[in-house]
Amino acid sequence: MSPRILIAGGWGVVGGAVARLIREAGHDLELVLGGRNPESGAELAKTLGARTVRLGVNDPAPGLAEAGPVDLVIAALQDPGDNLLMTALRAGAGHIGIVRGPDSMASTAIAAAALARRPALMLGHWQAGVTTVVALATARTFAVVERVEMAALYDYADPIGPMTVADAGGFVGQAQIRRGGAWTYLDATQHGRSVARPGQSAFDALPMSVLDTPALAAVTGAPDVRFDLGTGESRGTAAGGGASHDIYIDVTGRNASGAVSTKQTIVSDPAGQAHLTALGVLIGAERVLGLDGAAPPAAGLHFPETLLDIDRALTRLTTFGVQIESAT
């Protein structure tokens, strides 16, 4: 029997991108799109051979029941009370969430660990785990990792740009970073940095709390890890095309002989931020359901830094048009 996936927020900017990519990937599965106003998703559902259900995060049980037995719920929307998460897990479905950050992870992680009868994958990392995966690929070229600095560049010409403008106030505040082997909270407005990039002028960025920071600190052991967000002209716009979403990852470390160097890896999706996020979700969904050719993971709480195969993830990203290149 084909797996059934329910995408909550399935006709939103990101949810719709996830739905399209799942179909583009060619898997034999049933797709259900959920949201408060099913009529808004009718056209997309028809195009994708999907169906719609009315689903609200405050009381998701009726919508989940209407969808029928579900193998995986992808939450492409805010679930502040964890209601959708807990309802899905109690129903025996797997779960992928893409909106959780460090400040809201405690209740979510506890619920997932306690209730999951299938994998519950937390993809609240920048671009649903893409940044962490590429950073880990760069970090593994070193014998010892000393510093990981990540920066994302938003181009307001990106279709998701207006949402970023509206949410900007929530991005700038107290930011968690790893510094000198200790966790530190900074006033983001007072601790910005200039991010160098080849072929274009540097851009200013402010620190931001994302799950990539604790993930990379844990896996690489680096005493200094931070993530920053800036705005400006993307590589795509500069080249005269559409806005791309660009991520700059600088890893400093030592090789086996003790020599210190820094490597910069650039991730650029010509299709923009929503597409790159959706690719992260697609890679996660393929792993959770075992659609990548490997056995599905065990039930319980999972994160991309320990669940995903780095090489396969990189291949999937480039297959769908993402540019990953070394600048140094």
Side-chain angles (χ1 to χ4, degrees), residues 70-140:
V70 172
D71 295 284
L72 175 64
V73 174
I74 297 173
L77 41 61
Q78 297 290 336
D79 182 23
D82 290 325
N83 295 312
L84 176 58
L85 168 71
M86 291 189 287
T87 302
L89 296 181
R90 286 183 176 127
H95 186 275
I96 290 178
I98 65 174
V99 298
R100 289 294 184 228
D103 59 340
S104 58
M105 179 50 62
S107 63
T108 299
I110 291 170
L115 300 174
R117 288 181 276 161
R118 289 192 180 186
L121 176 59
M122 299 300 136
L123 289 180
H125 307 56
W126 195 256
Q127 305 311 297
V130 170
T131 306
T132 282
V133 165
V134 178
L136 287 174
T138 305
R140 68 183 178 180

Short mmCIF file of all heavy atoms in Angstrom, two decimals, residues 70-140:
data_model
loop_
_atom_site.label_atom_id
_atom_site.label_comp_id
_atom_site.label_asym_id
_atom_site.label_seq_id
_atom_site.Cartn_x
_atom_site.Cartn_y
_atom_site.Cartn_z
N VAL A 70 -2.64 8.04 8.27
CA VAL A 70 -1.56 8.81 7.66
C VAL A 70 -0.21 8.25 8.12
O VAL A 70 -0.01 7.98 9.31
CB VAL A 70 -1.67 10.31 8.05
CG1 VAL A 70 -0.45 11.08 7.59
CG2 VAL A 70 -2.93 10.91 7.44
N ASP A 71 0.69 8.08 7.19
CA ASP A 71 2.03 7.59 7.52
C ASP A 71 2.95 8.72 7.99
O ASP A 71 3.83 8.49 8.83
CB ASP A 71 2.65 6.90 6.30
CG ASP A 71 1.87 5.65 5.90
OD1 ASP A 71 2.02 4.63 6.59
OD2 ASP A 71 1.11 5.72 4.93
N LEU A 72 2.76 9.92 7.43
CA LEU A 72 3.64 11.04 7.77
C LEU A 72 2.88 12.35 7.69
O LEU A 72 2.20 12.61 6.69
CB LEU A 72 4.84 11.08 6.81
CG LEU A 72 5.80 12.26 6.95
CD1 LEU A 72 6.50 12.24 8.31
CD2 LEU A 72 6.83 12.25 5.83
N VAL A 73 2.99 13.16 8.75
CA VAL A 73 2.45 14.52 8.75
C VAL A 73 3.63 15.48 8.64
O VAL A 73 4.56 15.43 9.44
CB VAL A 73 1.66 14.82 10.03
CG1 VAL A 73 1.24 16.29 10.07
CG2 VAL A 73 0.43 13.92 10.12
N ILE A 74 3.57 16.35 7.64
CA ILE A 74 4.58 17.40 7.48
C ILE A 74 3.93 18.71 7.88
O ILE A 74 2.96 19.15 7.26
CB ILE A 74 5.09 17.47 6.03
CG1 ILE A 74 5.78 16.15 5.65
CG2 ILE A 74 6.04 18.65 5.84
CD1 ILE A 74 6.16 16.07 4.17
N ALA A 75 4.45 19.34 8.93
CA ALA A 75 3.89 20.59 9.43
C ALA A 75 4.64 21.76 8.82
O ALA A 75 5.73 22.12 9.27
CB ALA A 75 3.97 20.63 10.95
N ALA A 76 4.05 22.35 7.77
CA ALA A 76 4.65 23.51 7.11
C ALA A 76 3.95 24.78 7.57
O ALA A 76 3.66 25.67 6.78
CB ALA A 76 4.54 23.35 5.60
N LEU A 77 3.66 24.83 8.86
CA LEU A 77 2.99 25.98 9.46
C LEU A 77 3.33 26.02 10.94
O LEU A 77 3.94 25.11 11.48
CB LEU A 77 1.46 25.90 9.25
CG LEU A 77 0.75 24.55 9.42
CD1 LEU A 77 0.87 23.97 10.81
CD2 LEU A 77 -0.73 24.70 9.06
N GLN A 78 2.94 27.10 11.58
CA GLN A 78 3.18 27.24 13.02
C GLN A 78 2.25 26.33 13.81
O GLN A 78 1.07 26.22 13.51
CB GLN A 78 2.97 28.70 13.46
CG GLN A 78 3.92 29.70 12.82
CD GLN A 78 5.34 29.56 13.30
OE1 GLN A 78 5.61 29.05 14.40
NE2 GLN A 78 6.29 30.03 12.49
N ASP A 79 2.81 25.68 14.81
CA ASP A 79 2.05 24.79 15.70
C ASP A 79 2.44 25.12 17.14
O ASP A 79 3.06 24.32 17.85
CB ASP A 79 2.36 23.33 15.37
CG ASP A 79 1.58 22.32 16.21
OD1 ASP A 79 0.50 22.69 16.73
OD2 ASP A 79 2.06 21.18 16.34
N PRO A 80 2.11 26.34 17.59
CA PRO A 80 2.67 26.85 18.86
C PRO A 80 2.31 26.03 20.09
O PRO A 80 3.08 26.00 21.06
CB PRO A 80 2.10 28.27 18.95
CG PRO A 80 0.89 28.26 18.08
CD PRO A 80 1.20 27.33 16.97
N GLY A 81 1.18 25.35 20.08
CA GLY A 81 0.81 24.55 21.23
C GLY A 81 1.16 23.08 21.09
O GLY A 81 0.80 22.26 21.95
N ASP A 82 1.88 22.72 20.02
CA ASP A 82 2.23 21.33 19.73
C ASP A 82 0.99 20.45 19.54
O ASP A 82 1.08 19.22 19.63
CB ASP A 82 3.11 20.72 20.84
CG ASP A 82 4.50 21.31 20.87
OD1 ASP A 82 5.03 21.63 19.79
OD2 ASP A 82 5.07 21.44 21.98
N ASN A 83 -0.16 21.05 19.26
CA ASN A 83 -1.39 20.27 19.13
C ASN A 83 -1.36 19.34 17.93
O ASN A 83 -1.74 18.16 18.02
CB ASN A 83 -2.60 21.21 19.02
CG ASN A 83 -2.81 22.01 20.27
OD1 ASN A 83 -2.81 21.48 21.37
ND2 ASN A 83 -3.00 23.32 20.11
N LEU A 84 -0.89 19.85 16.79
CA LEU A 84 -0.80 19.01 15.60
C LEU A 84 0.23 17.91 15.82
O LEU A 84 -0.01 16.74 15.47
CB LEU A 84 -0.44 19.85 14.38
CG LEU A 84 -0.24 19.09 13.06
CD1 LEU A 84 -1.48 18.30 12.69
CD2 LEU A 84 0.16 20.05 11.95
N LEU A 85 1.36 18.26 16.38
CA LEU A 85 2.40 17.27 16.66
C LEU A 85 1.86 16.14 17.52
O LEU A 85 1.99 14.95 17.16
CB LEU A 85 3.58 17.95 17.37
CG LEU A 85 4.63 17.02 17.97
CD1 LEU A 85 5.45 16.35 16.88
CD2 LEU A 85 5.53 17.79 18.94
N MET A 86 1.26 16.47 18.65
CA MET A 86 0.81 15.43 19.57
C MET A 86 -0.34 14.61 18.99
O MET A 86 -0.41 13.40 19.20
CB MET A 86 0.44 16.06 20.91
CG MET A 86 1.64 16.61 21.66
SD MET A 86 1.31 17.13 23.37
CE MET A 86 0.40 18.64 23.07
N THR A 87 -1.24 15.26 18.27
CA THR A 87 -2.35 14.53 17.66
C THR A 87 -1.84 13.55 16.61
O THR A 87 -2.30 12.39 16.54
CB THR A 87 -3.35 15.51 17.02
OG1 THR A 87 -3.84 16.40 18.03
CG2 THR A 87 -4.53 14.77 16.41
N ALA A 88 -0.89 14.00 15.79
CA ALA A 88 -0.33 13.12 14.76
C ALA A 88 0.40 11.93 15.39
O ALA A 88 0.23 10.79 14.96
CB ALA A 88 0.63 13.91 13.87
N LEU A 89 1.19 12.19 16.42
CA LEU A 89 1.96 11.11 17.05
C LEU A 89 1.04 10.12 17.75
O LEU A 89 1.26 8.90 17.70
CB LEU A 89 2.97 11.69 18.03
CG LEU A 89 4.08 12.57 17.42
CD1 LEU A 89 5.02 13.06 18.51
CD2 LEU A 89 4.85 11.82 16.34
N ARG A 90 0.00 10.63 18.41
CA ARG A 90 -0.94 9.72 19.09
C ARG A 90 -1.71 8.86 18.09
O ARG A 90 -2.15 7.76 18.42
CB ARG A 90 -1.91 10.54 19.95
CG ARG A 90 -1.25 11.08 21.23
CD ARG A 90 -2.24 11.82 22.09
NE ARG A 90 -1.62 12.25 23.34
CZ ARG A 90 -1.64 13.49 23.81
NH1 ARG A 90 -2.26 14.45 23.13
NH2 ARG A 90 -1.06 13.78 24.96
N ALA A 91 -1.86 9.39 16.86
CA ALA A 91 -2.55 8.62 15.82
C ALA A 91 -1.63 7.60 15.16
O ALA A 91 -2.07 6.84 14.29
CB ALA A 91 -3.12 9.58 14.76
N GLY A 92 -0.36 7.61 15.54
CA GLY A 92 0.58 6.65 14.98
C GLY A 92 1.29 7.09 13.72
O GLY A 92 1.93 6.27 13.05
N ALA A 93 1.19 8.39 13.39
CA ALA A 93 1.85 8.90 12.20
C ALA A 93 3.27 9.35 12.52
O ALA A 93 3.59 9.71 13.67
CB ALA A 93 1.06 10.08 11.62
N GLY A 94 4.13 9.35 11.52
CA GLY A 94 5.41 10.01 11.65
C GLY A 94 5.20 11.52 11.54
O GLY A 94 4.11 11.98 11.18
N HIS A 95 6.23 12.29 11.84
CA HIS A 95 6.06 13.74 11.85
C HIS A 95 7.34 14.43 11.42
O HIS A 95 8.45 14.00 11.79
CB HIS A 95 5.68 14.22 13.26
CG HIS A 95 5.34 15.68 13.34
ND1 HIS A 95 6.30 16.66 13.50
CD2 HIS A 95 4.14 16.32 13.28
CE1 HIS A 95 5.69 17.84 13.54
NE2 HIS A 95 4.40 17.66 13.40
N ILE A 96 7.19 15.47 10.62
CA ILE A 96 8.30 16.37 10.29
C ILE A 96 7.84 17.79 10.58
O ILE A 96 6.80 18.23 10.06
CB ILE A 96 8.73 16.25 8.81
CG1 ILE A 96 9.42 14.91 8.56
CG2 ILE A 96 9.66 17.39 8.42
CD1 ILE A 96 9.83 14.69 7.12
N GLY A 97 8.57 18.50 11.41
CA GLY A 97 8.26 19.89 11.74
C GLY A 97 9.39 20.79 11.29
O GLY A 97 10.56 20.45 11.47
N ILE A 98 9.06 21.95 10.70
CA ILE A 98 10.11 22.80 10.13
C ILE A 98 10.14 24.20 10.75
O ILE A 98 10.88 25.05 10.27
CB ILE A 98 9.96 22.92 8.61
CG1 ILE A 98 8.65 23.64 8.23
CG2 ILE A 98 10.03 21.57 7.95
CD1 ILE A 98 8.52 23.92 6.74
N VAL A 99 9.38 24.43 11.81
CA VAL A 99 9.32 25.80 12.33
C VAL A 99 9.89 25.93 13.74
O VAL A 99 9.90 27.02 14.29
CB VAL A 99 7.87 26.33 12.32
CG1 VAL A 99 7.32 26.38 10.91
CG2 VAL A 99 6.97 25.48 13.21
N ARG A 100 10.37 24.88 14.34
CA ARG A 100 10.85 24.94 15.71
C ARG A 100 12.28 25.47 15.77
O ARG A 100 13.16 25.04 15.04
CB ARG A 100 10.81 23.56 16.36
CG ARG A 100 9.40 23.08 16.66
CD ARG A 100 8.78 23.95 17.72
NE ARG A 100 7.46 23.47 18.11
CZ ARG A 100 6.39 24.23 18.22
NH1 ARG A 100 6.46 25.50 17.89
NH2 ARG A 100 5.25 23.74 18.63
N GLY A 101 12.52 26.42 16.70
CA GLY A 101 13.85 26.92 16.97
C GLY A 101 14.28 26.54 18.37
O GLY A 101 13.54 25.88 19.11
N PRO A 102 15.48 26.94 18.78
CA PRO A 102 15.97 26.57 20.11
C PRO A 102 15.06 27.00 21.25
O PRO A 102 14.92 26.30 22.25
CB PRO A 102 17.33 27.28 20.19
CG PRO A 102 17.76 27.43 18.77
CD PRO A 102 16.49 27.68 18.00
N ASP A 103 14.40 28.15 21.09
CA ASP A 103 13.58 28.67 22.18
C ASP A 103 12.27 27.92 22.37
O ASP A 103 11.63 28.03 23.41
CB ASP A 103 13.28 30.16 21.96
CG ASP A 103 12.55 30.42 20.64
OD1 ASP A 103 12.61 29.56 19.76
OD2 ASP A 103 11.94 31.50 20.53
N SER A 104 11.87 27.12 21.39
CA SER A 104 10.60 26.41 21.48
C SER A 104 10.77 24.90 21.34
O SER A 104 9.78 24.19 21.18
CB SER A 104 9.63 26.91 20.40
OG SER A 104 10.19 26.73 19.11
N MET A 105 11.99 24.43 21.43
CA MET A 105 12.23 23.02 21.16
C MET A 105 11.95 22.12 22.36
O MET A 105 11.64 20.94 22.19
CB MET A 105 13.69 22.84 20.71
CG MET A 105 14.09 21.39 20.41
SD MET A 105 12.96 20.51 19.30
CE MET A 105 13.07 21.50 17.82
N ALA A 106 12.03 22.64 23.58
CA ALA A 106 11.94 21.77 24.76
C ALA A 106 10.63 20.98 24.79
O ALA A 106 10.64 19.75 24.89
CB ALA A 106 12.10 22.59 26.03
N SER A 107 9.50 21.68 24.70
CA SER A 107 8.21 20.98 24.79
C SER A 107 8.02 20.04 23.61
O SER A 107 7.48 18.94 23.74
CB SER A 107 7.06 21.99 24.85
OG SER A 107 7.01 22.78 23.67
N THR A 108 8.47 20.48 22.43
CA THR A 108 8.33 19.66 21.23
C THR A 108 9.15 18.38 21.34
O THR A 108 8.67 17.28 21.02
CB THR A 108 8.78 20.46 19.99
OG1 THR A 108 7.95 21.62 19.86
CG2 THR A 108 8.70 19.63 18.73
N ALA A 109 10.39 18.50 21.78
CA ALA A 109 11.26 17.33 21.90
C ALA A 109 10.73 16.35 22.94
O ALA A 109 10.75 15.13 22.73
CB ALA A 109 12.67 17.78 22.27
N ILE A 110 10.23 16.87 24.05
CA ILE A 110 9.69 15.99 25.09
C ILE A 110 8.46 15.26 24.59
O ILE A 110 8.31 14.04 24.79
CB ILE A 110 9.38 16.80 26.35
CG1 ILE A 110 10.69 17.28 27.00
CG2 ILE A 110 8.57 15.98 27.35
CD1 ILE A 110 10.49 18.28 28.11
N ALA A 111 7.58 15.97 23.89
CA ALA A 111 6.38 15.34 23.35
C ALA A 111 6.74 14.27 22.34
O ALA A 111 6.18 13.16 22.34
CB ALA A 111 5.48 16.40 22.71
N ALA A 112 7.68 14.58 21.45
CA ALA A 112 8.06 13.62 20.42
C ALA A 112 8.71 12.38 21.03
O ALA A 112 8.42 11.25 20.64
CB ALA A 112 9.02 14.27 19.43
N ALA A 113 9.57 12.60 22.01
CA ALA A 113 10.25 11.46 22.64
C ALA A 113 9.26 10.57 23.39
O ALA A 113 9.41 9.35 23.44
CB ALA A 113 11.32 11.97 23.59
N ALA A 114 8.22 11.18 23.95
CA ALA A 114 7.27 10.42 24.76
C ALA A 114 6.21 9.71 23.93
O ALA A 114 5.75 8.61 24.30
CB ALA A 114 6.59 11.35 25.77
N LEU A 115 5.81 10.31 22.80
CA LEU A 115 4.62 9.83 22.10
C LEU A 115 4.90 9.12 20.77
O LEU A 115 4.03 8.41 20.27
CB LEU A 115 3.67 11.01 21.82
CG LEU A 115 3.15 11.77 23.04
CD1 LEU A 115 2.35 12.98 22.58
CD2 LEU A 115 2.30 10.86 23.91
N ALA A 116 6.07 9.32 20.19
CA ALA A 116 6.30 8.84 18.83
C ALA A 116 6.29 7.32 18.73
O ALA A 116 7.01 6.64 19.46
CB ALA A 116 7.61 9.40 18.31
N ARG A 117 5.47 6.82 17.81
CA ARG A 117 5.50 5.40 17.45
C ARG A 117 6.11 5.20 16.07
O ARG A 117 6.25 4.08 15.59
CB ARG A 117 4.08 4.83 17.50
CG ARG A 117 3.55 4.68 18.93
CD ARG A 117 2.17 4.08 18.93
NE ARG A 117 1.14 5.08 18.71
CZ ARG A 117 -0.10 4.81 18.32
NH1 ARG A 117 -0.44 3.57 18.04
NH2 ARG A 117 -1.00 5.78 18.17
N ARG A 118 6.44 6.31 15.44
CA ARG A 118 7.19 6.35 14.19
C ARG A 118 8.22 7.47 14.33
O ARG A 118 8.22 8.19 15.32
CB ARG A 118 6.26 6.61 13.00
CG ARG A 118 5.36 5.44 12.65
CD ARG A 118 4.68 5.65 11.32
NE ARG A 118 3.80 4.55 10.96
CZ ARG A 118 3.18 4.46 9.80
NH1 ARG A 118 3.33 5.39 8.88
NH2 ARG A 118 2.39 3.43 9.55
N PRO A 119 9.07 7.67 13.35
CA PRO A 119 10.07 8.74 13.47
C PRO A 119 9.42 10.12 13.52
O PRO A 119 8.48 10.40 12.78
CB PRO A 119 10.92 8.57 12.21
CG PRO A 119 10.70 7.16 11.78
CD PRO A 119 9.29 6.83 12.14
N ALA A 120 9.94 10.96 14.40
CA ALA A 120 9.55 12.37 14.48
C ALA A 120 10.82 13.18 14.22
O ALA A 120 11.72 13.22 15.06
CB ALA A 120 8.97 12.69 15.84
N LEU A 121 10.89 13.80 13.05
CA LEU A 121 12.10 14.48 12.61
C LEU A 121 11.93 15.99 12.75
O LEU A 121 11.02 16.58 12.17
CB LEU A 121 12.39 14.12 11.15
CG LEU A 121 13.58 14.81 10.48
CD1 LEU A 121 14.88 14.54 11.21
CD2 LEU A 121 13.68 14.37 9.01
N MET A 122 12.80 16.60 13.53
CA MET A 122 12.76 18.04 13.75
C MET A 122 13.67 18.74 12.74
O MET A 122 14.90 18.59 12.80
CB MET A 122 13.19 18.37 15.18
CG MET A 122 12.30 17.75 16.24
SD MET A 122 10.58 18.30 16.08
CE MET A 122 9.69 16.75 16.29
N LEU A 123 13.09 19.49 11.83
CA LEU A 123 13.83 20.18 10.78
C LEU A 123 13.70 21.70 10.92
O LEU A 123 13.56 22.42 9.94
CB LEU A 123 13.32 19.75 9.39
CG LEU A 123 13.66 18.34 8.94
CD1 LEU A 123 13.09 18.07 7.56
CD2 LEU A 123 15.17 18.11 8.93
N GLY A 124 13.75 22.18 12.17
CA GLY A 124 13.68 23.62 12.41
C GLY A 124 14.98 24.33 12.12
O GLY A 124 15.12 25.52 12.39
N HIS A 125 15.95 23.62 11.56
CA HIS A 125 17.22 24.20 11.15
C HIS A 125 17.00 25.11 9.94
O HIS A 125 15.96 25.05 9.28
CB HIS A 125 18.21 23.09 10.77
CG HIS A 125 18.39 22.03 11.83
ND1 HIS A 125 17.33 21.31 12.35
CD2 HIS A 125 19.50 21.56 12.44
CE1 HIS A 125 17.79 20.46 13.24
NE2 HIS A 125 19.09 20.58 13.32
N TRP A 126 18.00 25.94 9.63
CA TRP A 126 17.84 26.85 8.49
C TRP A 126 17.71 26.05 7.20
O TRP A 126 18.54 25.19 6.89
CB TRP A 126 19.02 27.81 8.40
CG TRP A 126 18.74 28.96 7.48
CD1 TRP A 126 19.20 29.15 6.22
CD2 TRP A 126 17.88 30.07 7.78
NE1 TRP A 126 18.69 30.30 5.69
CE2 TRP A 126 17.88 30.90 6.63
CE3 TRP A 126 17.13 30.45 8.89
CZ2 TRP A 126 17.14 32.09 6.57
CZ3 TRP A 126 16.40 31.62 8.83
CH2 TRP A 126 16.41 32.43 7.69
N GLN A 127 16.65 26.30 6.47
CA GLN A 127 16.31 25.58 5.24
C GLN A 127 16.15 24.09 5.50
O GLN A 127 16.61 23.24 4.73
CB GLN A 127 17.35 25.83 4.14
CG GLN A 127 17.59 27.29 3.82
CD GLN A 127 16.30 28.07 3.61
OE1 GLN A 127 15.57 27.79 2.69
NE2 GLN A 127 16.02 29.05 4.46
N ALA A 128 15.48 23.78 6.60
CA ALA A 128 15.08 22.40 6.92
C ALA A 128 16.25 21.42 6.91
O ALA A 128 16.13 20.31 6.41
CB ALA A 128 13.98 21.94 5.95
N GLY A 129 17.37 21.85 7.46
CA GLY A 129 18.52 20.97 7.62
C GLY A 129 19.57 21.08 6.55
O GLY A 129 20.67 20.52 6.68
N VAL A 130 19.29 21.81 5.46
CA VAL A 130 20.25 21.92 4.36
C VAL A 130 21.56 22.56 4.83
O VAL A 130 22.66 22.08 4.51
CB VAL A 130 19.65 22.73 3.20
CG1 VAL A 130 20.72 23.07 2.16
CG2 VAL A 130 18.51 21.95 2.55
N THR A 131 21.46 23.63 5.61
CA THR A 131 22.66 24.33 6.06
C THR A 131 23.54 23.42 6.91
O THR A 131 24.76 23.36 6.74
CB THR A 131 22.27 25.59 6.86
OG1 THR A 131 21.40 26.39 6.06
CG2 THR A 131 23.50 26.41 7.23
N THR A 132 22.93 22.70 7.84
CA THR A 132 23.69 21.80 8.70
C THR A 132 24.36 20.69 7.90
O THR A 132 25.52 20.35 8.15
CB THR A 132 22.77 21.22 9.79
OG1 THR A 132 22.57 22.21 10.80
CG2 THR A 132 23.37 19.99 10.43
N VAL A 133 23.66 20.11 6.95
CA VAL A 133 24.22 19.02 6.15
C VAL A 133 25.46 19.49 5.39
O VAL A 133 26.50 18.82 5.38
CB VAL A 133 23.16 18.46 5.18
CG1 VAL A 133 23.81 17.60 4.10
CG2 VAL A 133 22.13 17.63 5.95
N VAL A 134 25.37 20.65 4.75
CA VAL A 134 26.51 21.15 3.97
C VAL A 134 27.66 21.54 4.91
O VAL A 134 28.83 21.31 4.60
CB VAL A 134 26.09 22.33 3.08
CG1 VAL A 134 27.30 22.88 2.32
CG2 VAL A 134 25.02 21.89 2.09
N ALA A 135 27.34 22.13 6.05
CA ALA A 135 28.38 22.47 7.02
C ALA A 135 29.11 21.22 7.51
O ALA A 135 30.34 21.22 7.67
CB ALA A 135 27.78 23.23 8.20
N LEU A 136 28.37 20.15 7.74
CA LEU A 136 29.00 18.90 8.17
C LEU A 136 29.88 18.31 7.08
O LEU A 136 30.95 17.75 7.36
CB LEU A 136 27.94 17.88 8.59
CG LEU A 136 27.23 18.16 9.91
CD1 LEU A 136 26.10 17.16 10.14
CD2 LEU A 136 28.21 18.11 11.08
N ALA A 137 29.47 18.45 5.83
CA ALA A 137 30.29 17.97 4.72
C ALA A 137 31.62 18.73 4.66
O ALA A 137 32.67 18.15 4.39
CB ALA A 137 29.54 18.11 3.40
N THR A 138 31.56 20.02 4.92
CA THR A 138 32.79 20.82 4.94
C THR A 138 33.63 20.49 6.16
O THR A 138 34.85 20.33 6.07
CB THR A 138 32.43 22.32 4.94
OG1 THR A 138 31.59 22.62 3.84
CG2 THR A 138 33.69 23.18 4.86
N ALA A 139 32.99 20.33 7.30
CA ALA A 139 33.71 20.10 8.56
C ALA A 139 34.46 18.77 8.55
O ALA A 139 35.53 18.65 9.17
CB ALA A 139 32.73 20.13 9.72
N ARG A 140 33.95 17.78 7.84
CA ARG A 140 34.60 16.46 7.88
C ARG A 140 35.92 16.43 7.13
O ARG A 140 36.65 15.44 7.19
CB ARG A 140 33.65 15.39 7.35
CG ARG A 140 33.33 15.48 5.87
CD ARG A 140 32.33 14.41 5.47
NE ARG A 140 31.98 14.51 4.05
CZ ARG A 140 31.12 13.70 3.45
NH1 ARG A 140 30.52 12.74 4.13
NH2 ARG A 140 30.86 13.84 2.16
#
